[in-house]
Amino acid sequence: MKYLLLVYIDQELLEAVPAEEFDAQMRHCIGQADALQAQGTLLGFNRLEAPAQARTVRTREGRTSVFDGPFAETKEMLAGYNLIEADSLEQAVELARQFPWTRYGSMEVRPVADMDAERVRVGA
């Protein structure tokens, strides 16, 4: 089954990390990602740009609005994702624990819905 590991970062915690330590953690993370990809466990991953560069699009009653940045006001911002293949939610959680970013925010582990089954269900 596929799981999305959503990386949320508390920017204040991350900014307190010395640049050399951050770079070492990023190298470790990239190396770990490369190893997981080689095993077929990690299907894709990316780091997101800063929330200030984001736009939120919302349509209500036929009118579309575009807002600067993320819409939700929260201390932790979505910073990236990892798409993985795991045998269980527990295994996906264990993989999430191995990434250093849980020290500076959190990682949400969410099962990915089977869109082929959904396609059949709705007749698309």
Side-chain angles (χ1 to χ4, degrees):
M1 182 162 192
K2 291 181 181 145
Y3 295 87
L4 193 60
L5 310 181
L6 296 163
V7 181
Y8 290 91
I9 295 294
D10 180 331
Q11 197 61 37
E12 288 180 22
L13 290 175
L14 197 58
E15 287 172 359
V17 177
E20 304 80 34
E21 184 180 335
F22 175 83
D23 289 351
Q25 289 182 13
M26 184 58 81
R27 279 191 300 277
H28 170 76
C29 188
I30 291 170
Q32 181 181 6
D34 290 345
L36 289 171
Q37 274 189 318
Q39 294 172 5
T41 301
L42 183 63
L43 307 175
F45 68 102
N46 252 315
R47 183 179 150 266
L48 300 176
E49 293 293 344
Q53 296 179 344
R55 300 295 177 268
T56 296
V57 180
R58 177 169 290 201
T59 303
R60 298 291 185 271
E61 299 177 8
R63 198 181 97 206
T64 300
S65 301
V66 179
F67 303 93
D68 290 345
F71 188 75
E73 290 296 324
T74 178
K75 187 171 181 136
E76 292 182 351
M77 295 294 176
L78 183 61
Y81 68 89
N82 298 276
L83 179 61
I84 64 165
E85 186 82 39
D87 293 331
S88 65
L89 180 59
E90 292 75 20
Q91 183 185 25
V93 168
E94 183 56 36
L95 286 167
R97 281 181 5 95
Q98 297 174 20
F99 287 92
W101 313 121
T102 57
R103 295 181 210 133
Y104 310 106
S106 62
M107 236 177 192
E108 179 181 345
V109 179
R110 190 181 296 189
V112 175
D114 181 345
M115 287 307 294
D116 289 334
E118 188 70 6
R119 181 183 305 275
V120 170
R121 187 186 77 75
V122 301

